[in-house]
Amino acid sequence: MSATVKSGKGTGPEAENVPAAVRRVRAVRTKGGVSLRLDVRATVVGLLLLAVALAAGIALIGSGDYPMTPAEVFATLTGDGDPGQQYIVHELRLPRVLVGLLVGAAFGISGAVFQTVSRNPLGSPDVLGFAQGSSVGALVAIVYFQAGAFGVAAGAVAGGVGTGVAIFLLAWKRGIHGYRFVLVGIGASAMLYAMVLFLMTKANIVEATRATTWMTGSLNGRDGDQVQPLAVVCAVLVPLLLFHGRPLRMLEMGDDAAHALGVRVDRVRITVLLAAVVLVAAATAAAGPISFVALTAPQVARRLTLPRWLKGGGGAPMPGPNLVLSALMGSVLLVAADWASQRLFGADQLPVGVLTGVLGGGYLLWLLATERKAGRV
């Protein structure tokens, strides 16, 4: 099979009026009539993010009370380490890194879905109350049922899914409007946070300590019990969301435009939101409500792929959900933050949720200032 590659870059004066986003797209057409559009910059950024995520994972495996060089980590992963290194890497540190990569990817791609459906950069699961809903479910399991790790995870999933269904139903009025969805989510977040405080008052000192540790969000002590269920959920739902990438891009233009282009708006919206809610709930169950990764990852991914529509334009981020890049960026942010917390404060001294909360809060303030300056809030 042979293929011809056509560039979006033309010649002549008319090419100067073509947006940079179009000129960077390459079209690959086969003899069978199958064509594939490839955004070169997005592909390069995706490969770089994948390399950074893997490098950060290797660096995180090598961090701790028993430090290891990247060469020793790589040798151990390929089966050449001594028995002590094999135990430390495969039993203690590799599951932590895998959980971090999967949780970051789940938060990143879910944040991209929520922001696309709401057409609002503030449409993030941790802003809209889904993390608080998972916290309520986990606290109910801890306080009233003294549940173990599995029970807490099940409670977190049930709380997150229940919150998602409730917010969707409350925000529905002949469709989902972006700002109505965000406002209902913020209101639900406040109510759920009050429920969290109420449940904390009902807990004894042991249960309150356990609940506080879980709600901080941490990768400490994660093992195969968290890796396997989360990997199964991601393996099922991430391809489902990627399959709906094109309809999601159409939804950003509005319901009427998407419907005119053949998108079944309500079906697509319900499907992707339900999948995103389950992903968020599963990730929260595995590592706790780690804040601001879902908010930050999609925005940073968009700005890396295309900061401006036109040369010298207004700096609007690239449209479209950017699902793959958002997932990769989420993995990079979470694993890098966990590595930084260990390097700056010592092994397992600072939960990663604290660092992402500080950095993400600063990013949220900057985002609000930018949106206000643009007249969108």
Side-chain angles (χ1 to χ4, degrees):
M1 179 180 67
S2 61
T4 59
V5 180
K6 296 182 179 180
S7 170
K9 183 184 295 184
T11 59
E14 67 277 4
E16 298 179 359
N17 297 322
V18 178
V22 177
R23 294 202 302 269
R24 274 198 296 270
V25 174
R26 302 294 186 267
V28 181
R29 187 180 300 276
T30 67
K31 287 185 176 181
V34 179
S35 62
L36 174 66
R37 292 186 304 169
L38 180 66
D39 189 316
V40 176
R41 178 165 182 164
T43 302
V44 172
V45 171
L47 293 175
L48 290 176
L49 288 177
L50 179 61
V52 172
L54 295 177
I58 291 177
L60 182 58
I61 292 175
S63 302
D65 294 330
Y66 181 80
M68 299 173 63
T69 65
E72 290 174 335
V73 172
F74 185 78
T76 304
L77 290 173
T78 56
D80 293 334
D82 59 53
Q85 291 175 333
Q86 292 281 351
Y87 174 77
I88 291 173
V89 170
H90 292 286
E91 299 297 328
L92 301 180
R93 297 181 180 174
L94 182 59
R96 176 189 186 128
V97 172
L98 293 177
V99 170
L101 293 172
L102 291 172
V103 168
F107 280 141
I109 197 170
S110 299
V113 170
F114 279 107
Q115 292 174 16
T116 300
V117 170
S118 64
R119 298 198 294 276
N120 192 314
L122 297 178
S124 171
D126 38 17
V127 175
L128 301 181
F130 296 97
Q132 289 80 359
S134 294
S135 297
V136 169
L139 283 179
V140 169
I142 292 173
V143 175
Y144 290 107
F145 299 99
Q146 291 76 46
F150 178 79
V152 173
V157 172
V161 173
T163 300
V165 173
I167 292 175
F168 185 85
L169 293 177
L170 289 173
W172 179 269
K173 185 178 180 182
R174 294 188 299 272
I176 293 290
H177 186 274
Y179 281 101
R180 183 167 62 243
F181 186 70
V182 171
L183 290 175
V184 170
I186 292 175
S189 176
M191 296 176 62
L192 291 168
Y193 181 70
M195 293 181 63
V196 169
L197 296 180
F198 171 77
L199 290 170
M200 291 293 288
T201 63
K202 295 295 183 180
N204 58 40
I205 185 64
V206 176
E207 294 168 346
T209 302
R210 183 184 175 196
T212 302
T213 302
W214 185 87
M215 288 190 300
T216 302
S218 176
L219 298 178
N220 299 343
R222 297 305 183 263
D223 54 26
D225 292 338
Q226 287 82 34
V227 175
Q228 295 175 1
L230 185 57
V232 171
V233 172
C234 290
V236 173
L237 296 182
V238 170
L240 176 64
L241 291 175
L242 295 179
F243 177 78
H244 287 85
R246 183 178 178 276
L248 278 173
R249 185 180 294 271
M250 301 303 172
L251 282 178
E252 283 197 331
M253 298 185 295
D255 289 1
D256 292 338
H259 183 75
L261 292 171
V263 176
R264 296 184 177 181
V265 175
D266 292 339
R267 177 183 296 182
V268 170
R269 183 180 284 117
I270 292 174
T271 301
V272 298
L273 281 178
L274 181 60
V277 166
V278 175
L279 268 179
V280 170
T284 304
I290 298 176
S291 57
F292 290 114
V293 174
L295 172 70
T296 307
Q299 294 295 314
V300 176
R302 290 187 179 201
R303 295 179 186 277
L304 285 177
T305 49
L306 183 63
R308 299 181 186 274
W309 266 109
L310 298 171
K311 186 176 181 181
M318 180 180 180
N322 284 340
L323 298 181
V324 174
L325 294 182
S326 298
L328 292 173
M329 179 57 67
S331 296
V332 169
L333 290 177
L334 186 54
V335 175
D338 195 37
W339 173 82
S341 67
Q342 292 202 39
R343 296 289 295 180
L344 295 175
F345 300 96
D348 300 336
Q349 296 299 313
L350 181 71
V352 66
V354 176
L355 187 58
T356 60
V358 172
L359 298 178
Y363 178 81
L364 178 59
L365 292 176
W366 175 84
L367 180 62
L368 288 172
T370 302
E371 292 292 300
R372 181 180 180 183
K373 184 177 179 181
R376 290 187 286 267
V377 294

